[in-house]
Structures are given as structure tokens and as C-alpha cells.
Amino acid sequence: MCGIVGIAGTRDVAPVILDALRRLEYRGYDSAGIATLVDGHIDRRRSSGKLNKLGDVLHSRPLHGHTGIGHTRWATHGAPTETNAHPHASKRVAIVHNGIVENFRELRDELKAAGHTFESQTDSEVAVHLVTDYLDKGLSPSEAAQAAVRRLTGAYSLAMIFTDHDGLMIGARKGAPLAVGYGTTESYLGSDAFALAPFTNKVAYLEDGDVVVIKGPDITIYDSEGRPTNREVKTTSASAALVDKGGKKHFMAKEIHEQPEVIGHTLAHYLDPAGPVVQRQGVGLRGALSKASRLTISACGTAFYAGMVGKYWFEKLARLPVESDVASELRYRDVIYPKDGAALFVSQSGETADTLAALREAKAQGQTTIAIVNVAESSIAREADIVLPTFAGPEIGVASTKAFTCQLAALASFAIAAGVARGTLSEADEKRLCAQLLAAPRLVAEFLKQEPKIEQLGQEIAKATDVLYMGRGPSYPLALEGALKLKEISYIHAEGYAAGEMKHGPIALIDENVPVVVIAPHDALFEKTISNMQEVMARGGKVLLISDKEGIARAGDVWASIQVPDADPFLAPILYAIPVQLLSYYAAIAKGTDVDQPRNLAKSVTVE
Ligand code: F6R
């Protein structure tokens, strides 16, 4: 996750951009840079390290110019050096980029063959050469930017300025946020409204596929088809920008939409996209599992369901025996901890009392303790032997969404790392699985386009008093998570079941008033899940099937379906989490509940 700021202005913009970048430093701070147009030419200052270092560089070598872009980086591709720092530039264009360009290898090879010389190890630099290539072919900056964006795969946002085009700035959004600020004589681009708060209180949020062309105060937004479009311009107060909902009604909606970006950020910490392989500097960490006799996984609520998915991955990929239980039970059981065992705890807040107590007990019993946490300074992070951070950013909505998928991203990466360390995964398998994981941000962004359809289904679900969820394998914990999400924010009674368990009792609940959400990726267990689904339908059950294209086609007639992008089944838990989150969000909206602060709950449960 990196921070982007751009100003098409009427004064020297570099000091102002530097100031705005400081408000984005939470997004990354291992290197930074600013580029401006000086008499029509691109000039730039970059530095490794925090923004203060860039401030020193600007102090000794001031940067003039009224049009400029700036960036604070959190390295994904390439070390945090000055050469890899943004903006990247050619003679014709300078670009800042946030996110991942998945197809950078193919594009780099193509552009190198066409005579382009690359300076950095970043994926971002391909955008510079691609735009330059189109400009060299005679396209205008706007045409070149739109043509380039159509060729870049991944989840990202971009801002660019062009030689000989003072006042011109172009931005693009595909899966990572970009806000446009409207001033009277100037215009702005920023990763969030908070960065823009001192400049303007009029902000529009780009939608996926949008390209914005800014000429001084004139702003035109084009949609993914290249048609001029309008995006609502919202007026925010400076204090509102501090708790910015990114143009959404609720933090939960904002956090659901942040997932392509934060999953990418979390994966970037664990995977090296150049391989793609798991990061080799994590050898010590993988060592913890290379000889482990057993892994105990524990957590509470949603974090526990992430851990349950992890159990399937560790068993399959690393052939590691796993025991899992909720922390409130584990801490009081007479658990028989093995010699050379490891214990993994998952927590967004890092403060959940039961999880912390279970960790302390496992440590006292001689286990190597590992924590997947979102809050780096939390108690669980401080007490665990090994910390695996997630990079979901602050999660404000009480219902956990982005923290859950980031936990899954970290668990999947760690399971691959464990498989490599234990010799159960070949090099080819490692590459294949890592490549699939790196596609997750793009596929999540692609799925989010179906939101209007899920809004309608959420309204239907809201009419029910009971809803059942079912799935098999890693989709079973997702069924539990779907039911938890629905009950906690819409107050509709919901239960999740392993699909094979339905006939052992729960099927008695089925009638035409009980929607059954069937989570069935097209995997090895698909046919089994579908026969359980048929048993439900034979008893009048109203099935909402969540599957991919082929799964939906093969399943036959159901009450409703949600189509998830085709992907390897390994990715399914991350992708299928999004429809269950959106379904409960829209059911809650239809019920008129307090989505971000549902009754009786607290974000961090620090009591037993
Ligand atoms: C549900 C939810 C909770 C938390 C649980 C653990 O949406 O958010 O079930 O997952 O309270 O919290 P953490 O992850 O902070 O330990």
C-alpha cells in the first residue's frame, strides 16, 4: 500500500505535496519522491527512507513547478532504494503507482524488445514505458493513458504528468482507491480524502476502470469504456475527512471495497512477485514449522474461521498435523501439547482476552507461538515468539471484513512457506500457488462490480427470519463466517453447517421460507456439495448458490445464484468471502440496523 498525491496548481507545489504525503505516511514510508513540471520538463527528487529525508533533499535542491505528483512507498517489487522510489519517469511522462501490476513481466519483455530501457526493479516502471510507447506512436496523453490502463492487469491506482503539458495531470483507478479534489483554481489527486483535506472539501471518488483527465481546474472523468461520466462530488468537513468513509455510507462498505488493495499489501509482504515465490528472508519463520510435530490454531469469532481455513491449507500443502479450537475453549482444556509443537493465534486487534490467554498457556507449555495480527503494537504481537502481520489498515466497522481476507492471505502464504520448508511442495507448486495468490486482488476487484445484484439479493434475504449457510472443505468455515456476519449486523438468525451434516439434523428446518446459501466453488468436493444442495431443494428449500460459471451451469435450477470469477480452488476462501460479506451488508441495510456498530457488540473484546 503506497500513498499518492497530485496537484495541478498555481503555485510551487512540491512543498505542498510533501505536506500532503505526510498525511499518507501510514500507507508506507520506506522511500518517497516528487516530480514536477519545470518549464515543461520533468524534474524530480527522490530518496530512500522516510519523508523527512525527502524533505532534506528538497531543502538542499528545491523543486519548482506548478504541476506535480508525489508518492510515499511501501516496497512490493524491488528493494526500497532511491532508484526504485517513485515517481518513475521517461523523457515524456512521470508516474506514481499504488498496487500491483500483475502482468509486468510480459509487458517488460515486450517493451524491452521494442527498445525501452528499464532502470528499476519495480512493476510500476512498465506503466511509464507503456504510456511513453503510446505517446511515441502519436497518441495524446489522454489516449495514451487510457490505452495503457487497458493493458495493465492487477489492482492499482496511478497518477501521471506529461512533458510540455503544464497543468495536465491524469489519474486512473483499478482496484485501489483514488480521490479527486475540486478546487477553484487548482485540482488534486490523492489516495484518500484525508490527504486532500487542507486543499478542498469537495471530493469525488473514482470508480474501478475510471480515468480522470485534469487540466488545471477542469476535470473530466472517463469510465472503463472511455465515455465521459460524472461521479458524485461530495462535500466533506476536515474533521469528517479524518474518519473518511471513502464516499461510502458505512465503514463496513468502505472496508469491503478496500480489500483488493489491502490483500495485495499483505501478500506483498510474504511473496516475491518476481519468482513468484515466498519471500526467502522468512527462512527463520518457516523454520518454525519445518520440524513442528503439530500446529495448534486458535482465535475467536471471524479470526477463528480464518484459522479454520488455515487448517485445511496446512494439512494439504505442508502435511502438518493441525488441532484447532476457539480460544475461549482451548485456554481451559487440558490440551496435550506435543514436544516441538507450534501454536498459531489469529487476531485483528491483537487484544482479544481469550486469544491472549490461550497464547500464554501454549507458551507456558513449551510451544513456539506465532501470531497473525493486524495491530502491530498489540499485546498478542508483543508476546508471540513470531509475528506475521496483516496490512488491512485500521478496521473501524465492528463486523470484520478486510481483516478476515488479509488473515487468509497471510495464512495461505504461510502454508505455502511451510510446505516449502517441510519439503512437501515442489518448486513448481510453489510458483503456481504464489502466482494464483497474487491474482487475488484483481479477482476481488472484478467481483466487486457485481455489488448491485447482491444488493437486491440482500433485500430478499432480509425478509427471512432464519437463514442457513453450508459448504464443504475450506468452504465450511466460510459458511460459519457467512452466518456470523449476517446475524451480527442484520440480527437475522443464521447458522453455518458442513454440507454433509445437513441430513443429520438441520435439514428438518428447511421449508420455503428458509433461504439456504450454498458456498460451492468448483473444486474436488463440488459434486458432493451439490448433492447436499439437491437434498435441500427436494424439501422445498430456497437455494442461493455461490459458485463460478461452470459450477452455476452444472448445478441446474436454483432460486438465485452469485457468480464468482473463475479461479483455482486454492483461492476460493478469499474470493467467496466477498459475496457473503456483501450479502449481510445489504440485508442489514434493508433491515435498517446500525451496520458499523451493531447492538451488544464491541470491536475489541478485552474481557473474558
Ligand atoms: C466478527 C468479529 C469478531 C472478531 C473476534 C475476534 O465480525 O469481528 O468475531 O473476529 O471478536 O477479534 P480479534 O480478531 O480482534 O481477536
Side-chain angles (χ1 to χ4, degrees):
M1 199 154 70
C2 307
I4 289 179
V5 175
I7 305 181
T10 50
R11 53 188 156 157
D12 268 352
V13 291
V16 195
I17 290 176
L18 182 67
D19 199 41
L21 287 175
R22 290 191 206 285
R23 287 185 292 280
L24 287 175
E25 221 174 358
Y26 75 92
R27 300 175 69 86
Y29 42 78
D30 57 32
S31 52
I34 297 176
T36 57
L37 286 176
V38 182
D39 300 327
H41 297 291
I42 293 166
D43 199 0
R44 60 180 168 159
R45 305 283 181 270
R46 299 181 294 166
S47 123
S48 60
K50 292 198 171 185
L51 280 167
N52 285 346
K53 254 183 99 184
L54 180 65
D56 294 344
V57 173
L58 285 166
H59 187 71
S60 53
R61 291 172 54 219
L63 187 60
H64 299 288
H66 296 180
T67 305
I69 50 178
H71 188 264
T72 174
R73 178 168 187 244
W74 193 87
T76 59
H77 298 47
T81 58
E82 187 180 325
T83 315
N84 286 333
H86 299 222
H88 293 285
S90 68
K91 285 204 163 52
R92 309 197 64 166
V93 63
I95 293 184
V96 287
H97 161 235
N98 168 33
I100 295 176
V101 175
E102 263 178 61
N103 57 341
F104 79 99
R105 268 181 242 96
E106 298 95 279
L107 289 173
R108 193 182 49 199
D109 292 349
E110 178 189 316
L111 289 157
K112 272 186 178 169
H116 291 261
T117 310
F118 284 71
E119 285 176 354
S120 73
Q121 285 85 50
T122 65
D123 55 339
S124 319
E125 202 185 338
V126 292
V128 171
H129 294 286
L130 199 54
V131 173
T132 305
D133 208 60
Y134 286 122
L135 291 169
D136 288 345
K137 287 179 177 141
L139 270 63
S140 69
S142 167
E143 291 163 345
Q146 293 187 58
V149 164
R150 277 194 288 275
R151 295 212 51 207
L152 298 171
T153 320
Y156 59 83
S157 54
L158 298 166
M160 36 191 129
I161 56 173
F162 299 83
T163 300
D164 292 334
H165 288 274
D166 257 312
L168 176 68
M169 181 165 69
I170 295 183
R173 179 203 157 123
K174 223 181 199 178
L178 197 60
V180 185
Y182 291 70
T184 40
T185 54
E186 299 186 331
S187 302
Y188 314 92
L189 287 175
S191 294
D192 64 27
F194 182 41
L196 306 184
F199 311 139
T200 179
N201 62 352
K202 291 195 167 38
V203 171
Y205 294 91
L206 293 187
E207 291 187 9
D208 262 2
D210 284 355
V211 171
V212 59
V213 178
I214 293 171
K215 288 180 188 143
D218 300 325
I219 297 177
T220 312
I221 301 177
Y222 297 91
D223 67 12
S224 54
E225 305 295 323
R227 295 173 299 221
T229 187
N230 289 317
R231 300 293 175 216
E232 190 188 348
V233 180
K234 300 186 187 241
T235 306
T236 54
S237 66
S239 59
L242 277 172
V243 283
D244 174 39
K245 292 191 184 125
K248 305 286 179 204
K249 274 206 192 93
H250 299 98
F251 283 109
M252 183 178 175
K254 177 191 176 215
E255 288 160 3
I256 287 174
H257 281 267
E258 279 173 350
Q259 289 177 109
E261 193 187 18
V262 295
I263 293 169
H265 195 195
T266 301
L267 289 173
H269 185 75
Y270 295 103
L271 306 182
D272 174 359
V277 289
V278 282
Q279 293 280 9
R280 293 304 176 205
Q281 67 261 38
V283 170
L285 174 156
R286 294 203 307 277
L289 287 193
S290 64
K291 300 215 164 47
S293 53
R294 193 185 81 194
L295 179 66
T296 304
I297 302 182
S298 191
C300 299
T302 290
F304 177 65
Y305 299 144
M308 269 178 86
V309 174
K311 175 181 161 117
Y312 288 88
W313 284 334
F314 283 108
E315 285 175 345
K316 190 176 170 69
L317 305 180
R319 304 302 298 137
L320 179 60
V322 178
E323 133 108 66
S324 67
D325 202 353
V326 288
S328 54
E329 287 298 311
L330 190 86
R331 63 180 290 195
Y332 292 119
R333 275 174 45 200
D334 284 327
V335 179
I336 300 152
Y337 283 104
K339 188 171 172 304
D340 298 326
L344 172 66
F345 299 88
V346 187
S347 177
Q348 187 285 127
S349 63
E351 299 296 346
T352 301
D354 283 322
T355 311
L356 182 58
L359 179 145
R360 286 178 178 157
E361 176 59 18
K363 204 173 191 179
Q365 298 284 341
Q367 307 297 291
T368 302
T369 54
I370 307 162
I372 293 187
V373 280
N374 196 41
V375 180
E377 316 73 32
S378 59
S379 308
I380 290 176
R382 284 198 309 270
E383 295 197 25
D385 297 319
I386 295 169
V387 178
L388 306 181
T390 52
F391 296 89
E395 194 178 58
I396 313 280
V398 162
S400 187
T401 51
K402 61 175 181 169
F404 177 66
T405 45
C406 285
Q407 286 159 357
L408 292 177
L411 282 160
S413 309
F414 192 32
I416 299 172
V420 173
R422 294 169 72 84
T424 52
L425 273 186
S426 66
E427 217 174 286
D429 283 339
E430 178 189 10
K431 285 198 164 158
R432 181 179 56 81
L433 293 169
C434 291
Q436 275 151 21
L437 264 184
L438 286 165
R442 169 177 51 87
L443 294 169
V444 171
E446 199 181 300
F447 177 75
L448 283 167
K449 292 187 192 136
Q450 296 195 45
E451 193 169 3
K453 177 179 177 188
I454 301 176
E455 179 172 2
Q456 283 176 0
L457 288 170
Q459 286 162 3
E460 289 299 314
I461 292 284
K463 293 176 190 158
T465 46
D466 304 280
V467 179
L468 301 186
Y469 288 72
M470 64 184 215
R472 275 178 184 263
S475 299
Y476 165 42
L478 275 188
L480 295 169
E481 169 61 4
L484 174 63
K485 259 333 52 110
L486 187 68
K487 60 190 150 198
E488 74 178 318
I489 60 168
S490 74
Y491 315 146
I492 297 169
H493 172 240
E495 298 299 336
Y497 289 102
E501 276 295 294
M502 287 297 289
K503 60 173 88 59
H504 299 289
I507 205 161
L509 294 170
I510 299 298
D511 65 24
E512 64 283 3
N513 300 315
V514 181
V516 181
V517 180
V518 179
I519 302 168
H522 197 234
D523 58 13
L525 296 170
F526 176 76
E527 300 296 345
K528 304 272 175 210
T529 311
I530 293 308
S531 42
N532 300 133
M533 183 187 91
Q534 298 295 351
E535 289 155 12
V536 165
M537 283 164 62
R539 285 152 184 88
K542 221 171 140 182
V543 165
L544 164 50
L545 174 65
I546 309 180
S547 189
D548 47 29
K549 194 169 176 208
E550 194 177 341
I552 288 172
R554 286 176 64 162
D557 262 355
V558 288
W559 167 60
S561 60
I562 297 174
Q563 190 177 316
V564 175
D566 291 340
D568 189 281
F570 175 56
L571 275 191
I574 298 178
L575 299 185
Y576 284 62
I578 319 298
V580 298
Q581 294 168 352
L582 283 172
L583 209 52
S584 49
Y585 176 71
Y586 282 110
I589 299 282
K591 298 277 286 189
T593 58
D594 185 345
V595 172
D596 282 333
Q597 293 180 324
R599 69 187 181 203
N600 306 342
L601 293 173
K603 184 68 186 160
S604 186
V605 186
T606 51
V607 291
E608 250 193 82

